[in-house]
Amino acid sequence: MAEQETNEMSFLEHLEELRWHIVRSFIAIAVVGVAAFLYKDILFDTIIFGPSNPDFFTNRLLCKAADLYNLPALCINQSKISFQNILMSGQFTTHIKVSFIAGLVAAFPYVFWEFWRFIKPALLQEEQKHSRGAIFFASILFSVGILFAYYIICPLSIQFLSNYQVSDKVDNILNLGSYISTISSIVLAGGVIFELPILIYFLARVGIVTSTSLKKYRKHSIIASLLLAAIITPPDVISQILVCVPLIILYEAGIIIAKRIEKKRAKAELEVYK
């Protein structure tokens, strides 16, 4: 008992520990961000402007499908898009901003790991064991969400928004900052949304949600998925369906996760009473 009290940390010591976890996370983001800043050709020409190029993987694939099935509408982003910068320091500040976002995305698994290391001492041994798996799957899901948004949603969004016109008298010359903000928002939203099963896992672990309550609100979740898809995608049906379907699948996966947690909890309680 005395040893346990000795190992307990005060509130200020917890704050100090949290500070160092945050510092290390920012260092990781900064290191990756600096690397991204130095390789601006890859960062912008290949990654940022990639979905708007005709030779982008998704655009080429859809154009092949358009030829194969005689559906010209599937062939997207074949016209050159012009970008403009109207601020003197616009390109430089944009370069810094995008480098930071790249650092945040690439360093996310490490940042999440630092977060887990901070809360680890407060977890029981069994909880620590399950949390390790959660960290792994959180990183995987975030990466899948990023790739899904980048390769599927971004090209469709660019095609729709860059060609939409209220009148033939108005030409679309895209603002650099607006384009990058749109791409960044879609990609980051994709990564965050795909963390839904992990969120449900932790909520189910602490008893806030159950598989029964999740099933009860299944219809509400479908409506919420449609609304969220409408917010993060352009107002065309195909893009909204492409976002809505994975959200529904992730929600159903969350129900399965909650049910498994409840079975393990019931089994553990049964063993205690034996």
Side-chain angles (χ1 to χ4, degrees):
M1 184 69 178
E3 184 180 352
Q4 183 179 357
E5 290 176 355
T6 303
N7 291 333
E8 288 181 355
M9 299 172 64
S10 67
F11 177 71
L12 291 178
E13 287 174 331
H14 277 294
L15 285 180
E16 178 66 14
E17 186 70 17
L18 177 60
R19 184 173 74 89
W20 281 109
H21 285 296
I22 294 174
V23 167
R24 285 192 290 268
S25 297
F26 271 106
I27 289 174
I29 294 171
V31 169
V32 180
V34 169
F37 186 88
L38 295 175
Y39 292 93
K40 69 175 183 178
D41 292 341
I42 297 175
L43 180 62
F44 284 91
D45 294 338
T46 303
I47 299 175
I48 298 298
F49 297 131
S52 67
N53 295 329
D55 59 349
F56 187 65
F57 173 77
T58 306
N59 299 333
R60 287 189 288 107
L61 189 66
L62 287 175
C63 283
K64 287 181 181 179
D67 294 335
L68 183 63
Y69 298 106
N70 194 26
L71 295 171
L74 286 177
C75 194
I76 63 174
N77 296 320
Q78 296 303 298
S79 302
K80 182 180 178 181
I81 298 178
S82 299
F83 299 96
Q84 66 171 352
N85 170 60
I86 58 175
L87 300 175
M88 181 176 291
S89 61
Q91 295 200 46
F92 179 69
T93 55
T94 297
H95 191 182
I96 295 175
K97 174 185 174 182
V98 173
S99 298
F100 174 78
I101 294 173
L104 180 62
V105 170
F108 173 81
Y110 177 80
V111 173
F112 204 81
W113 180 68
E114 283 287 351
F115 170 75
W116 176 78
R117 285 183 62 199
F118 174 70
I119 66 172
K120 178 183 174 182
L123 301 176
L124 300 175
Q125 187 173 1
E126 185 69 16
E127 291 174 332
Q128 291 182 17
K129 178 183 176 182
H130 291 294
S131 295
R132 291 191 192 99
I135 299 300
F136 172 76
F137 284 111
S139 300
I140 294 296
L141 286 171
F142 184 80
S143 301
V144 171
I146 291 289
L147 293 174
F148 175 80
Y150 181 72
Y151 281 100
I152 303 299
I153 306 303
C154 284
L156 293 172
S157 299
I158 292 170
Q159 170 68 17
F160 179 84
L161 296 174
S162 64
N163 291 286
Y164 186 85
Q165 290 181 295
V166 294
S167 172
D168 293 336
K169 297 180 180 180
V170 182
D171 294 327
N172 284 332
I173 303 176
L174 304 186
N175 178 271
L176 177 64
S178 175
Y179 172 85
I180 290 175
S181 295
T182 301
I183 298 299
S184 301
S185 299
I186 292 173
V187 169
L188 289 175
V192 172
I193 286 170
F194 270 63
E195 296 295 324
L196 180 61
I198 303 299
L199 176 62
I200 291 176
Y201 169 82
F202 283 109
L203 293 177
R205 290 288 298 179
V206 298
I208 296 177
V209 299
T210 63
S211 60
T212 304
S213 64
L214 291 172
K215 289 178 182 178
K216 180 181 178 181
Y217 291 103
R218 180 181 274 133
K219 293 181 180 179
H220 299 80
S221 72
I222 294 174
I223 296 173
S225 298
L226 289 169
L227 291 174
L228 187 58
I231 292 172
I232 67 173
T233 61
D236 67 285
V237 177
I238 295 177
S239 297
Q240 291 176 5
I241 291 174
L242 285 173
V243 173
C244 187
V245 170
L247 283 174
I248 295 172
I249 294 173
L250 291 170
Y251 188 86
E252 293 298 322
I255 294 176
I256 296 172
I257 291 170
K259 189 178 293 184
R260 289 188 62 183
I261 291 173
E262 290 164 6
K263 286 182 179 179
K264 288 182 179 180
R265 186 181 292 133
K267 183 179 179 180
E269 290 176 353
L270 185 62
E271 290 177 355
V272 170
Y273 285 114
K274 280 184 178 180

